[in-house]
Every structure is written in structure tokens, then in C-alpha cells.
Amino acid sequence: MKYTKELEITKKAAIEASKIITEYAERTSFSIELKGKNDLITDADVASENKIIEILTEAFPEDAILAEESSQRTELPSGRVWIIDPIDGTTNFAHGFPAYCVSIALWDNKSPKVALVLEVAKQELFTALEGEGAYLNGKSIHVSGNNDPSASLIGTGFPYRDLHLVDDYLKLFKRLMEKTHGVRRPGTAAWDLCNVACGRFEGFYEYGLSAWDVAAGSLIIKEAGGVVTDWRGESDWLFGKRIIAGNEAVHAFLGKEIRQCFSQQDLTHKKNSN
Ligand code: IPD
């Protein structure tokens, strides 16, 4: 099977990173700094990222890296690139709220090939290889078969840097509160996407996310039979900062609701804003 070695090395890197994160979580204190408004970084993010990059570059020295804390990029190179979030859910981690994960994806020629999300506090390991299905702790997973939006559970995240779309976001939130079983905000987008992949959420939407938040979870959803697009229903979701994911029916429902709440121009990301 293609990319089997890459998946094995990815697992090794994630497990080593998870040990480091757990060790920091058990300490009485660690350093928490601000990268920007409400945008936290801890010692654990840096240590986790260093370990992941060390393991991946030792095995695949030619590959490019796009990583949240050390090597951000705004577009993909043409060959192989590892997209890494060393702790997705840093705010949860910094506050001791047990929902944070390591997210690692390999993209080759601008298409996702290998994906792993390891939720550290619960030790849930989600993996996918292109064309080979999606797995949670080794068991095959599938998106929810519940196609009724009024009986669906929806995941989302709240923006915290640029709040200029918040009024429309709250309008959407109110509509979804009225039209679904409920909306949840776990605080870790990579794991939120995996909750769609294994059928806990029927759908998920957010704006302001970065490539490292969504690069792995989106392949896991697709391999679990789900759909991922931007807010226009198109494919600019990796750098486009607007994502909708779900089973087919709830994805379509969310797209319709979003397009009714936001102006045409706010459906797409403009550089230097969310
Ligand atoms: C954050 C989480 C959160 C989302 C934020 C992200 P980070 O990632 O995914 O759920 O709402 O927009 O930035 O910063 O903890 O890696």
C-alpha cells in the first residue's frame, strides 16, 4: 500500500509528541505566551513541534514542512509537504481543559495523502490514507447516516482574532440552535473534524482556521464518506479560512444556512483578514 511507511512514521511522531504534551500537562506550571490577540503558545507547543519535525525530517529529509509554530506558509509547494499542528486546541491545553490534539498530514502535489489526528487527553487516534478509508484506534469509521438536519448535532468554533464577521456568525448560530439538536464548540478544530468523520457530529463549520487546523481532519472526513468544502461549496478550504464539513445532507444544509446569513463578499477570505 502506498504511503504505509509515511503513516507509520507519522504515528511514531504523534505518539512521541503526545508523551511530551502529557508530561507538560502534568506539570504545575509551564510558560504561556501570546502570539497575537487571544492566540496562545506554550512551551509544550514548541517542544511537540520540534519532536515531530525531528522524526519526520530524519525519515524524509527531502520533504517540505508547513508547521504552526516554526514554518508557516500561505500556499503549498508543488511536491511533498508535511502540515503540522503540534497542539490543536492550545487554549484548552493552557487551561487544563481536556480536548487538544496533534494533527499531522502529508500532502503531495497539492492533494492529501496521509492524515493523523491524535487527541491526547482521550488517546483517540484517527488515521487515513487516501483511498484506504478512515480509522479510529484501528477501527473503520464512517460519517453519520442521519440525514435530517433537525435531528443533527453540529460542531463549530468561535473566532477570536478578527471579530468583524461575528454579528452574522451569531445570526447563523441562532438559526442553527433553532433548527438542529444543538451546536457544540469543543475548541480543537482538527478533532472537531474527526468527530464528523466518526459520526458524533453530522456537520461542522468555522471561519478563521489555518491550514494546519484542517489539513489532516479533512482527509479523515473524506475517507469516512463525508464532504468538505469552503463556504461557497468550492474547494478553497485549506488556505481559504472558511470550512463546511459533514455528511452529504447536513453539509448541504449548513451551506444553505451560511449563504443566507453572510454577504457574498464575506463568503470568501480576503488577505489580511479572517
Ligand atoms: C485553534 C483551534 C480552535 C479554533 C481556532 C484554532 P490552535 O487552533 O482549532 O478550535 O477555533 O480557530 O486556531 O491555535 O489551538 O492550534
Side-chain angles (χ1 to χ4, degrees):
M1 213 185 292
K2 231 182 152 194
Y3 298 107
T4 310
K5 178 179 172 204
E6 282 82 351
L7 181 59
E8 281 319 304
I9 302 287
T10 306
K11 279 186 194 163
K12 183 177 162 198
I15 289 164
E16 290 306 314
S18 154
K19 285 184 199 157
I20 291 173
I21 295 166
T22 306
E23 204 179 284
Y24 274 94
E26 285 164 358
R27 292 186 188 178
T28 47
S29 73
F30 47 79
S31 137
I32 305 173
E33 283 175 27
L34 276 178
K35 289 187 282 184
K37 184 175 155 56
N38 294 333
D39 196 0
L40 309 187
I41 177 167
T42 71
D43 292 348
D45 293 76
V46 176
S48 168
E49 183 161 306
N50 288 344
K51 178 53 78 180
I52 295 166
I53 292 177
E54 178 193 312
I55 293 173
L56 294 178
T57 49
E58 193 185 303
F60 308 107
E62 307 292 315
D63 293 354
I65 301 279
L66 188 172
E68 178 174 15
E69 312 304 350
S70 64
S71 36
Q72 299 194 4
R73 291 164 184 256
T74 49
E75 56 187 36
L76 291 180
S78 52
R80 289 168 45 119
V81 55
W82 294 93
I83 306 181
I84 302 162
D85 193 340
I87 302 182
D88 182 58
T90 300
T91 305
N92 285 347
F93 174 75
H95 289 268
F97 187 80
Y100 40 85
C101 61
V102 173
S103 173
I104 306 175
L106 174 67
W107 283 55
D108 194 356
N109 278 325
K110 308 198 186 230
S111 138
K113 303 297 178 190
V114 179
L116 176 149
V117 173
L118 175 56
E119 200 292 321
V120 174
K122 288 169 272 301
Q123 287 293 299
E124 288 188 345
L125 177 65
F126 293 87
T127 54
L129 284 180
E130 185 193 35
E132 302 292 339
Y135 295 86
L136 164 54
N137 292 337
K139 286 196 180 143
S140 176
I141 52 173
H142 206 273
V143 292
S144 167
N146 169 11
N147 293 325
D148 177 4
S150 71
S152 68
L153 187 64
I154 304 299
T156 190
F158 303 146
Y160 56 84
R161 297 179 199 106
D162 178 349
L163 303 183
H164 80 287
L165 295 185
V166 158
D167 288 345
D168 287 343
Y169 210 64
L170 291 178
K171 200 161 65 178
L172 172 66
F173 194 58
K174 179 169 184 280
R175 284 167 77 116
L176 296 177
M177 284 163 74
E178 288 164 355
K179 293 185 179 189
T180 68
H181 270 179
V183 184
R184 298 286 179 270
R185 195 280 193 244
T188 159
W191 186 61
D192 293 340
L193 292 170
C194 293
N195 282 317
V196 174
C198 68
R200 294 170 185 154
F201 292 156
E202 274 71 31
F204 172 80
Y205 67 96
E206 188 164 349
Y207 85 85
L209 292 174
S210 300
W212 48 83
D213 299 315
V214 299
S218 52
L219 178 62
I220 295 170
I221 291 189
K222 286 181 183 173
E223 288 299 324
V227 183
V228 179
T229 65
D230 63 23
W231 281 10
R232 296 162 305 165
E234 293 172 21
S235 59
D236 184 25
W237 48 265
L238 186 66
F239 291 104
K241 294 191 174 276
R242 281 151 183 71
I243 194 163
I244 313 173
N247 67 22
E248 207 177 323
V250 175
H251 172 275
F253 161 76
L254 286 175
K256 212 167 126 211
E257 293 297 321
I258 287 170
R259 290 188 284 276
Q260 281 174 13
C261 287
F262 289 85
S263 71
Q264 193 64 29
Q265 69 170 23
D266 287 338
L267 293 177
T268 37
H269 164 63
K270 284 171 285 306
K271 271 211 164 137
N272 304 321
S273 77
N274 263 334

